Amino acid sequence: MPSMDPAALQQFKSEVALKFQLYNSLFTSLPFHRIEKTGILLSMLLNVCEEGYKKKKSPVQIMDEFFSMHTTYRNEQEQTDLLFRFVQYVERQVVLFDALEDAAFSKVNDLSGPGSLKQLKGILERTDAIADGHDHTKHADQFSVKLVLTAHPTQFYPGSVLGIINDLSKALQENNTTLVNTYLQQLGKTPFFKKQKPTPFDEAMSLIWYLDNVFYPAVGRILTYAANELQPWINADQPMLQLGFWPGGDRDGNPFVTVDTTLQVAATLRSSIVKSYYMDVRRLKRRLTFKETDQLIAQLEKQLYNEVFSEGAQLELTADGMIQQLKQIRDTLVYQHNGLFANLVDNLIQKMHAFGLYYASLDVRQDSSVHVSLFRSLQQYFKLFPADYDQLEEGQRLELLSRLSPLPAEAKLQEPLHEDALNSVKAIATIQQQNGERGCHRYIISQCNSASSVMEVYGLFLLGGWKPESMSIDIVPLFETIDDLKSAGEIMEKLYRLPVYREHLQRRKNRQTIMLGFSDGTKDGGYLMANYSILKAKQSLTSLSEKYGIDVLFFDGRGGPPARGGGKTQKFYASMGNDVSGKEIQLTIQGQTISSNFGTIDAAQFNMEQLLNAGLSSYLREKDEPTMEPEEQELLSRLAADGFKSYVSLKEHPEFVNYLANASPLRFYAETNIGSRPAKRGSATRLSLKDLRAIPFVGAWSQLKQNVTGYYGVGTALQLAEQRGQWKQVKDLYQHSLFFRTLIDNCEMAMLKCHFPLTSHLADHPAFGEIWHMIYSEYELTRKYLFQLSGKTELMADYPVEQLSVQMRERIVLPLTTIQQYAISKVREMEGANGQGPAAAIRATYEKLVMRSSFGIINAGRNSA
């Protein structure tokens, strides 16, 4: 069970909650369009909201009351101007709260306590001691954690704001009130809103900011500690921490990612890491002033300088070459200078092991449907396949795909998308030459629903000129929907039995990476079924891969929110038994999870150590029990089936999509200019659930404060279990299964971020009333049963610091969610009248207000469930 440290809660109250009230008062003097009263009026609005919702008033009634009782503004222009100022103000309050949490992180969290590498070392030492001096501990020669940074549109502050947050956190840590005041004023004048959508390259640059300022130092710290303190249990030559990167390589549904983007991002990743090494070497040079070492370090500095500053440099650097030079310097320090500053050299060696000349490994991802249409086009224009290719049995198709020849250099494909797919495999070869093989070696296939989906990628590489014997590429199928997860084992077995693919795996050290995505799974099957289906798929793929002598590595598409597999991620990994491969932990980190969990060096180090501890402790101590006992798994299977049925009945309600489109800001999602990717697949104007991307889907429920995908069906499933007389078994499952308890913990987090009074005005709506009642009833039912299960009377009672953080953030954005619902109601009201002139202009203003409110709401949600 989680520890409830009263000292941590007290630290949070004094370092975050109290300081927020103090520094928040500075906002009243900030320059918001020469209106000094914005802050005072906003605090009045917050009171009107809180009192109004208690009296069951709608957002429109609350805003009307606020304008008539607390302002002299009577025309819509004046009123909407004030609302936009409130939005700006709240956005900056959220930044202040983020910065305060970041500054207090090391005081609120025990960086050497449970889940840290220091704690893991103690456990391993005790285990060895119990083994009577014999080393019974397994050696983690292959284990690693790979964090893959993605640019999914859930949150990005502009680079200028990221810098201010970083500086503001430092000033807050030092209690430097003068500097804090200066940075808050800077924040008041810095625009948050992006006039244009970011390009994929812009997204890459936002994430490279985190690589430079957070991951580079944090990974160095962790690996240096591990190399010094965990030497008996790990292989120091194999970096335990690796980073992956999607912006610039992820094409799935993003027409703005091209080969040029991919090559540009790869080149920027290389130049960024070289600059970081150069700065470290410059700092080292100031210390290594001894005989011999001074010349060696100057030589390395010159090589790095030439690449950083010379136009058209020859890219002659190699990571291995630099590491050898540093080892020579280290040996000189140890043998001639008592090891003085050897620790600084060790730190840089560890960074070079982890980052090479690529910084983060760039993944290429594409939807399988693009490959299908590409091969149809090849059949039509180049006659590479028989005319009946589509009608052939899968075995015959696999055979054809496995022996393709390169397309002639002059061959031009008709569709730009097809041309890009072919050129992307050529670009991977270029990146590997410049950044090393690890710079780009994975091709991920979304919507992978057959063995052909995988072999089409293999065939694509053959067409692009790759030779089978030197194809240094891992082809990674991505299974997301409930049906795809069920058929994953069957698909992989066909591939394992296919001689050509089997030979490819042998050349890749018999390691197969399989990606399992949460977003579409939750959208498709609801919370319980998605999580259960992924566990079941992992179990069947683990046993299948063992049968064929393959090391299977699972890559989890876990987003930030619990509804997308996030939340208390390390606990899911700690809960895995011997029936799930744990050779590596790989997961996506996206949106505001990057800034919330990895926004500072301390936070990044803490969260990476939590993952390393969860994975290494399982791997090294070889659990000999399964994730769940057979009867527990059978019970969870029944709960998932009941939850699925309940969720599907909601999803199939005739007004489901209309409700989401009209009650939430979903229609305006694409206009927020947060991400480069369109909010839906395809070009149809009518919104359909199938085309809607999972991230806007989850995000829309989040802004509506209903978080359907984080709990819907859980209450019904628990109620049915009780009616069957299985409540004791469910309680036992909660007590004894870390996997199930973590599911419930995450569910509670999603529910704590709900606020039904915000939308209760829809309860009597002629079209949406029924669906609102279905959602609210399920929420109340789930809440009731979770309390019965945990024995608590509050959501997240076991996590008081996080509970208070969520409650404070929800209170900060309550005026924003109210303004957003008010503006949505106004837009709906005006939609009947397609007027021109002033009427059209005011409607456009309300639409903009809906969209602008999204920023603060999303950013405040951090792991926005």
Side-chain angles (χ1 to χ4, degrees), residues 63-85:
M63 294 309 304
D64 287 348
E65 180 187 321
F66 168 73
F67 283 126
S68 65
M69 291 183 65
H70 298 283
T71 76
T72 54
Y73 303 141
R74 295 296 171 259
N75 73 55
E76 282 186 301
Q77 176 71 50
E78 289 176 327
Q79 291 176 352
T80 54
D81 279 354
L82 179 64
L83 296 183
F84 277 113
R85 287 202 299 278

PDB file of all heavy atoms in Angstrom, residues 63-85:
ATOM      1  N   MET A  63     -22.523  33.216 -15.259  1.00  0.00           N
ATOM      2  CA  MET A  63     -21.846  34.344 -15.922  1.00  0.00           C
ATOM      3  C   MET A  63     -22.767  35.569 -15.982  1.00  0.00           C
ATOM      4  O   MET A  63     -22.306  36.699 -15.779  1.00  0.00           O
ATOM      5  CB  MET A  63     -21.380  33.960 -17.330  1.00  0.00           C
ATOM      6  CG  MET A  63     -20.287  32.904 -17.389  1.00  0.00           C
ATOM      7  SD  MET A  63     -18.835  33.207 -16.353  1.00  0.00           S
ATOM      8  CE  MET A  63     -18.316  34.803 -16.899  1.00  0.00           C
ATOM      9  N   ASP A  64     -24.052  35.344 -16.264  1.00  0.00           N
ATOM     10  CA  ASP A  64     -24.999  36.479 -16.297  1.00  0.00           C
ATOM     11  C   ASP A  64     -25.054  37.172 -14.935  1.00  0.00           C
ATOM     12  O   ASP A  64     -25.055  38.398 -14.838  1.00  0.00           O
ATOM     13  CB  ASP A  64     -26.405  36.004 -16.700  1.00  0.00           C
ATOM     14  CG  ASP A  64     -26.477  35.660 -18.189  1.00  0.00           C
ATOM     15  OD1 ASP A  64     -25.516  36.003 -18.915  1.00  0.00           O
ATOM     16  OD2 ASP A  64     -27.469  35.019 -18.614  1.00  0.00           O
ATOM     17  N   GLU A  65     -25.094  36.339 -13.871  1.00  0.00           N
ATOM     18  CA  GLU A  65     -25.137  36.890 -12.501  1.00  0.00           C
ATOM     19  C   GLU A  65     -23.849  37.677 -12.217  1.00  0.00           C
ATOM     20  O   GLU A  65     -23.881  38.776 -11.659  1.00  0.00           O
ATOM     21  CB  GLU A  65     -25.278  35.739 -11.493  1.00  0.00           C
ATOM     22  CG  GLU A  65     -25.319  36.222 -10.045  1.00  0.00           C
ATOM     23  CD  GLU A  65     -25.294  35.054  -9.045  1.00  0.00           C
ATOM     24  OE1 GLU A  65     -25.948  34.014  -9.317  1.00  0.00           O
ATOM     25  OE2 GLU A  65     -24.611  35.179  -8.014  1.00  0.00           O
ATOM     26  N   PHE A  66     -22.729  37.119 -12.621  1.00  0.00           N
ATOM     27  CA  PHE A  66     -21.438  37.794 -12.376  1.00  0.00           C
ATOM     28  C   PHE A  66     -21.407  39.155 -13.082  1.00  0.00           C
ATOM     29  O   PHE A  66     -21.055  40.172 -12.473  1.00  0.00           O
ATOM     30  CB  PHE A  66     -20.284  36.913 -12.858  1.00  0.00           C
ATOM     31  CG  PHE A  66     -18.967  37.639 -12.920  1.00  0.00           C
ATOM     32  CD1 PHE A  66     -18.284  37.966 -11.751  1.00  0.00           C
ATOM     33  CD2 PHE A  66     -18.425  38.053 -14.146  1.00  0.00           C
ATOM     34  CE1 PHE A  66     -17.081  38.680 -11.802  1.00  0.00           C
ATOM     35  CE2 PHE A  66     -17.232  38.761 -14.199  1.00  0.00           C
ATOM     36  CZ  PHE A  66     -16.548  39.073 -13.026  1.00  0.00           C
ATOM     37  N   PHE A  67     -21.794  39.186 -14.358  1.00  0.00           N
ATOM     38  CA  PHE A  67     -21.735  40.453 -15.107  1.00  0.00           C
ATOM     39  C   PHE A  67     -22.688  41.491 -14.519  1.00  0.00           C
ATOM     40  O   PHE A  67     -22.350  42.669 -14.407  1.00  0.00           O
ATOM     41  CB  PHE A  67     -22.059  40.235 -16.590  1.00  0.00           C
ATOM     42  CG  PHE A  67     -20.918  39.637 -17.365  1.00  0.00           C
ATOM     43  CD1 PHE A  67     -21.101  38.475 -18.110  1.00  0.00           C
ATOM     44  CD2 PHE A  67     -19.664  40.228 -17.362  1.00  0.00           C
ATOM     45  CE1 PHE A  67     -20.052  37.915 -18.827  1.00  0.00           C
ATOM     46  CE2 PHE A  67     -18.601  39.673 -18.076  1.00  0.00           C
ATOM     47  CZ  PHE A  67     -18.803  38.513 -18.805  1.00  0.00           C
ATOM     48  N   SER A  68     -23.882  41.049 -14.127  1.00  0.00           N
ATOM     49  CA  SER A  68     -24.871  42.030 -13.650  1.00  0.00           C
ATOM     50  C   SER A  68     -24.554  42.515 -12.234  1.00  0.00           C
ATOM     51  O   SER A  68     -24.781  43.679 -11.917  1.00  0.00           O
ATOM     52  CB  SER A  68     -26.285  41.442 -13.705  1.00  0.00           C
ATOM     53  OG  SER A  68     -26.373  40.359 -12.805  1.00  0.00           O
ATOM     54  N   MET A  69     -23.992  41.653 -11.383  1.00  0.00           N
ATOM     55  CA  MET A  69     -23.792  42.033  -9.976  1.00  0.00           C
ATOM     56  C   MET A  69     -22.396  42.600  -9.676  1.00  0.00           C
ATOM     57  O   MET A  69     -22.222  43.343  -8.716  1.00  0.00           O
ATOM     58  CB  MET A  69     -24.048  40.827  -9.065  1.00  0.00           C
ATOM     59  CG  MET A  69     -25.517  40.418  -9.034  1.00  0.00           C
ATOM     60  SD  MET A  69     -25.816  39.049  -7.901  1.00  0.00           S
ATOM     61  CE  MET A  69     -25.415  39.781  -6.327  1.00  0.00           C
ATOM     62  N   HIS A  70     -21.391  42.200 -10.464  1.00  0.00           N
ATOM     63  CA  HIS A  70     -20.016  42.572 -10.083  1.00  0.00           C
ATOM     64  C   HIS A  70     -19.294  43.455 -11.111  1.00  0.00           C
ATOM     65  O   HIS A  70     -18.146  43.833 -10.901  1.00  0.00           O
ATOM     66  CB  HIS A  70     -19.177  41.313  -9.833  1.00  0.00           C
ATOM     67  CG  HIS A  70     -19.707  40.479  -8.709  1.00  0.00           C
ATOM     68  ND1 HIS A  70     -19.524  40.813  -7.388  1.00  0.00           N
ATOM     69  CD2 HIS A  70     -20.448  39.337  -8.716  1.00  0.00           C
ATOM     70  CE1 HIS A  70     -20.113  39.906  -6.627  1.00  0.00           C
ATOM     71  NE2 HIS A  70     -20.684  39.002  -7.405  1.00  0.00           N
ATOM     72  N   THR A  71     -19.954  43.720 -12.249  1.00  0.00           N
ATOM     73  CA  THR A  71     -19.307  44.590 -13.243  1.00  0.00           C
ATOM     74  C   THR A  71     -20.316  45.614 -13.769  1.00  0.00           C
ATOM     75  O   THR A  71     -21.524  45.468 -13.564  1.00  0.00           O
ATOM     76  CB  THR A  71     -18.775  43.785 -14.464  1.00  0.00           C
ATOM     77  OG1 THR A  71     -19.886  43.436 -15.303  1.00  0.00           O
ATOM     78  CG2 THR A  71     -18.017  42.541 -14.050  1.00  0.00           C
ATOM     79  N   THR A  72     -19.773  46.601 -14.463  1.00  0.00           N
ATOM     80  CA  THR A  72     -20.666  47.586 -15.111  1.00  0.00           C
ATOM     81  C   THR A  72     -20.758  47.285 -16.608  1.00  0.00           C
ATOM     82  O   THR A  72     -21.326  48.066 -17.366  1.00  0.00           O
ATOM     83  CB  THR A  72     -20.105  49.009 -14.916  1.00  0.00           C
ATOM     84  OG1 THR A  72     -18.753  49.014 -15.384  1.00  0.00           O
ATOM     85  CG2 THR A  72     -20.149  49.432 -13.453  1.00  0.00           C
ATOM     86  N   TYR A  73     -20.155  46.140 -17.036  1.00  0.00           N
ATOM     87  CA  TYR A  73     -20.154  45.804 -18.474  1.00  0.00           C
ATOM     88  C   TYR A  73     -21.515  45.252 -18.882  1.00  0.00           C
ATOM     89  O   TYR A  73     -21.982  44.266 -18.313  1.00  0.00           O
ATOM     90  CB  TYR A  73     -19.077  44.763 -18.791  1.00  0.00           C
ATOM     91  CG  TYR A  73     -17.680  45.184 -18.379  1.00  0.00           C
ATOM     92  CD1 TYR A  73     -16.785  44.264 -17.839  1.00  0.00           C
ATOM     93  CD2 TYR A  73     -17.251  46.504 -18.534  1.00  0.00           C
ATOM     94  CE1 TYR A  73     -15.508  44.640 -17.459  1.00  0.00           C
ATOM     95  CE2 TYR A  73     -15.974  46.889 -18.156  1.00  0.00           C
ATOM     96  CZ  TYR A  73     -15.103  45.958 -17.612  1.00  0.00           C
ATOM     97  OH  TYR A  73     -13.849  46.335 -17.238  1.00  0.00           O
ATOM     98  N   ARG A  74     -22.119  45.893 -19.865  1.00  0.00           N
ATOM     99  CA  ARG A  74     -23.437  45.438 -20.309  1.00  0.00           C
ATOM    100  C   ARG A  74     -23.437  44.974 -21.758  1.00  0.00           C
ATOM    101  O   ARG A  74     -24.293  44.204 -22.164  1.00  0.00           O
ATOM    102  CB  ARG A  74     -24.476  46.572 -20.125  1.00  0.00           C
ATOM    103  CG  ARG A  74     -24.715  46.956 -18.671  1.00  0.00           C
ATOM    104  CD  ARG A  74     -25.323  45.822 -17.837  1.00  0.00           C
ATOM    105  NE  ARG A  74     -25.354  46.120 -16.415  1.00  0.00           N
ATOM    106  CZ  ARG A  74     -24.488  45.651 -15.531  1.00  0.00           C
ATOM    107  NH1 ARG A  74     -23.487  44.872 -15.917  1.00  0.00           N
ATOM    108  NH2 ARG A  74     -24.587  45.953 -14.241  1.00  0.00           N
ATOM    109  N   ASN A  75     -22.490  45.443 -22.598  1.00  0.00           N
ATOM    110  CA  ASN A  75     -22.517  44.947 -23.977  1.00  0.00           C
ATOM    111  C   ASN A  75     -21.522  43.775 -24.135  1.00  0.00           C
ATOM    112  O   ASN A  75     -20.544  43.645 -23.380  1.00  0.00           O
ATOM    113  CB  ASN A  75     -22.281  46.070 -24.998  1.00  0.00           C
ATOM    114  CG  ASN A  75     -20.839  46.543 -25.029  1.00  0.00           C
ATOM    115  OD1 ASN A  75     -19.924  45.767 -25.223  1.00  0.00           O
ATOM    116  ND2 ASN A  75     -20.657  47.858 -24.831  1.00  0.00           N
ATOM    117  N   GLU A  76     -21.790  42.951 -25.152  1.00  0.00           N
ATOM    118  CA  GLU A  76     -21.035  41.695 -25.307  1.00  0.00           C
ATOM    119  C   GLU A  76     -19.553  41.935 -25.591  1.00  0.00           C
ATOM    120  O   GLU A  76     -18.706  41.159 -25.163  1.00  0.00           O
ATOM    121  CB  GLU A  76     -21.659  40.834 -26.413  1.00  0.00           C
ATOM    122  CG  GLU A  76     -22.919  40.124 -25.928  1.00  0.00           C
ATOM    123  CD  GLU A  76     -23.471  39.150 -26.965  1.00  0.00           C
ATOM    124  OE1 GLU A  76     -23.790  39.606 -28.076  1.00  0.00           O
ATOM    125  OE2 GLU A  76     -23.594  37.953 -26.652  1.00  0.00           O
ATOM    126  N   GLN A  77     -19.256  43.002 -26.284  1.00  0.00           N
ATOM    127  CA  GLN A  77     -17.850  43.296 -26.606  1.00  0.00           C
ATOM    128  C   GLN A  77     -17.035  43.492 -25.319  1.00  0.00           C
ATOM    129  O   GLN A  77     -15.973  42.898 -25.133  1.00  0.00           O
ATOM    130  CB  GLN A  77     -17.783  44.570 -27.472  1.00  0.00           C
ATOM    131  CG  GLN A  77     -16.367  45.033 -27.792  1.00  0.00           C
ATOM    132  CD  GLN A  77     -15.653  44.111 -28.767  1.00  0.00           C
ATOM    133  OE1 GLN A  77     -16.198  43.775 -29.802  1.00  0.00           O
ATOM    134  NE2 GLN A  77     -14.440  43.679 -28.417  1.00  0.00           N
ATOM    135  N   GLU A  78     -17.583  44.309 -24.396  1.00  0.00           N
ATOM    136  CA  GLU A  78     -16.892  44.563 -23.125  1.00  0.00           C
ATOM    137  C   GLU A  78     -16.780  43.268 -22.304  1.00  0.00           C
ATOM    138  O   GLU A  78     -15.745  42.990 -21.699  1.00  0.00           O
ATOM    139  CB  GLU A  78     -17.667  45.611 -22.304  1.00  0.00           C
ATOM    140  CG  GLU A  78     -17.611  47.013 -22.863  1.00  0.00           C
ATOM    141  CD  GLU A  78     -18.475  47.976 -22.051  1.00  0.00           C
ATOM    142  OE1 GLU A  78     -19.537  47.549 -21.526  1.00  0.00           O
ATOM    143  OE2 GLU A  78     -18.079  49.137 -21.936  1.00  0.00           O
ATOM    144  N   GLN A  79     -17.862  42.504 -22.321  1.00  0.00           N
ATOM    145  CA  GLN A  79     -17.886  41.270 -21.521  1.00  0.00           C
ATOM    146  C   GLN A  79     -16.868  40.251 -22.040  1.00  0.00           C
ATOM    147  O   GLN A  79     -16.104  39.675 -21.263  1.00  0.00           O
ATOM    148  CB  GLN A  79     -19.298  40.666 -21.525  1.00  0.00           C
ATOM    149  CG  GLN A  79     -20.300  41.519 -20.755  1.00  0.00           C
ATOM    150  CD  GLN A  79     -21.716  40.974 -20.832  1.00  0.00           C
ATOM    151  OE1 GLN A  79     -22.007  40.032 -21.585  1.00  0.00           O
ATOM    152  NE2 GLN A  79     -22.623  41.555 -20.065  1.00  0.00           N
ATOM    153  N   THR A  80     -16.842  40.042 -23.366  1.00  0.00           N
ATOM    154  CA  THR A  80     -15.906  39.051 -23.913  1.00  0.00           C
ATOM    155  C   THR A  80     -14.461  39.533 -23.759  1.00  0.00           C
ATOM    156  O   THR A  80     -13.570  38.718 -23.521  1.00  0.00           O
ATOM    157  CB  THR A  80     -16.212  38.712 -25.389  1.00  0.00           C
ATOM    158  OG1 THR A  80     -16.252  39.927 -26.151  1.00  0.00           O
ATOM    159  CG2 THR A  80     -17.503  37.944 -25.526  1.00  0.00           C
ATOM    160  N   ASP A  81     -14.221  40.835 -23.842  1.00  0.00           N
ATOM    161  CA  ASP A  81     -12.862  41.361 -23.599  1.00  0.00           C
ATOM    162  C   ASP A  81     -12.385  40.971 -22.200  1.00  0.00           C
ATOM    163  O   ASP A  81     -11.242  40.554 -22.008  1.00  0.00           O
ATOM    164  CB  ASP A  81     -12.833  42.896 -23.721  1.00  0.00           C
ATOM    165  CG  ASP A  81     -12.745  43.349 -25.179  1.00  0.00           C
ATOM    166  OD1 ASP A  81     -12.599  42.472 -26.051  1.00  0.00           O
ATOM    167  OD2 ASP A  81     -12.832  44.573 -25.439  1.00  0.00           O
ATOM    168  N   LEU A  82     -13.283  41.126 -21.225  1.00  0.00           N
ATOM    169  CA  LEU A  82     -12.928  40.764 -19.853  1.00  0.00           C
ATOM    170  C   LEU A  82     -12.650  39.254 -19.743  1.00  0.00           C
ATOM    171  O   LEU A  82     -11.696  38.838 -19.083  1.00  0.00           O
ATOM    172  CB  LEU A  82     -14.056  41.164 -18.887  1.00  0.00           C
ATOM    173  CG  LEU A  82     -13.806  40.810 -17.403  1.00  0.00           C
ATOM    174  CD1 LEU A  82     -12.610  41.584 -16.850  1.00  0.00           C
ATOM    175  CD2 LEU A  82     -15.044  41.075 -16.559  1.00  0.00           C
ATOM    176  N   LEU A  83     -13.476  38.466 -20.417  1.00  0.00           N
ATOM    177  CA  LEU A  83     -13.286  37.012 -20.344  1.00  0.00           C
ATOM    178  C   LEU A  83     -11.938  36.592 -20.936  1.00  0.00           C
ATOM    179  O   LEU A  83     -11.268  35.694 -20.419  1.00  0.00           O
ATOM    180  CB  LEU A  83     -14.442  36.282 -21.049  1.00  0.00           C
ATOM    181  CG  LEU A  83     -15.833  36.484 -20.419  1.00  0.00           C
ATOM    182  CD1 LEU A  83     -16.886  35.659 -21.146  1.00  0.00           C
ATOM    183  CD2 LEU A  83     -15.826  36.126 -18.924  1.00  0.00           C
ATOM    184  N   PHE A  84     -11.532  37.232 -22.019  1.00  0.00           N
ATOM    185  CA  PHE A  84     -10.211  36.913 -22.593  1.00  0.00           C
ATOM    186  C   PHE A  84      -9.095  37.293 -21.598  1.00  0.00           C
ATOM    187  O   PHE A  84      -8.083  36.599 -21.511  1.00  0.00           O
ATOM    188  CB  PHE A  84     -10.002  37.645 -23.930  1.00  0.00           C
ATOM    189  CG  PHE A  84     -10.629  36.928 -25.095  1.00  0.00           C
ATOM    190  CD1 PHE A  84     -11.707  37.476 -25.781  1.00  0.00           C
ATOM    191  CD2 PHE A  84     -10.144  35.686 -25.515  1.00  0.00           C
ATOM    192  CE1 PHE A  84     -12.297  36.816 -26.851  1.00  0.00           C
ATOM    193  CE2 PHE A  84     -10.721  35.019 -26.584  1.00  0.00           C
ATOM    194  CZ  PHE A  84     -11.804  35.584 -27.262  1.00  0.00           C
ATOM    195  N   ARG A  85      -9.295  38.389 -20.864  1.00  0.00           N
ATOM    196  CA  ARG A  85      -8.284  38.764 -19.863  1.00  0.00           C
ATOM    197  C   ARG A  85      -8.232  37.730 -18.739  1.00  0.00           C
ATOM    198  O   ARG A  85      -7.162  37.395 -18.240  1.00  0.00           O
ATOM    199  CB  ARG A  85      -8.586  40.155 -19.293  1.00  0.00           C
ATOM    200  CG  ARG A  85      -8.287  41.289 -20.262  1.00  0.00           C
ATOM    201  CD  ARG A  85      -8.080  42.604 -19.520  1.00  0.00           C
ATOM    202  NE  ARG A  85      -9.249  43.021 -18.752  1.00  0.00           N
ATOM    203  CZ  ARG A  85     -10.291  43.666 -19.284  1.00  0.00           C
ATOM    204  NH1 ARG A  85     -10.313  43.938 -20.573  1.00  0.00           N
ATOM    205  NH2 ARG A  85     -11.308  44.033 -18.529  1.00  0.00           N
TER     206      ARG A  85
END
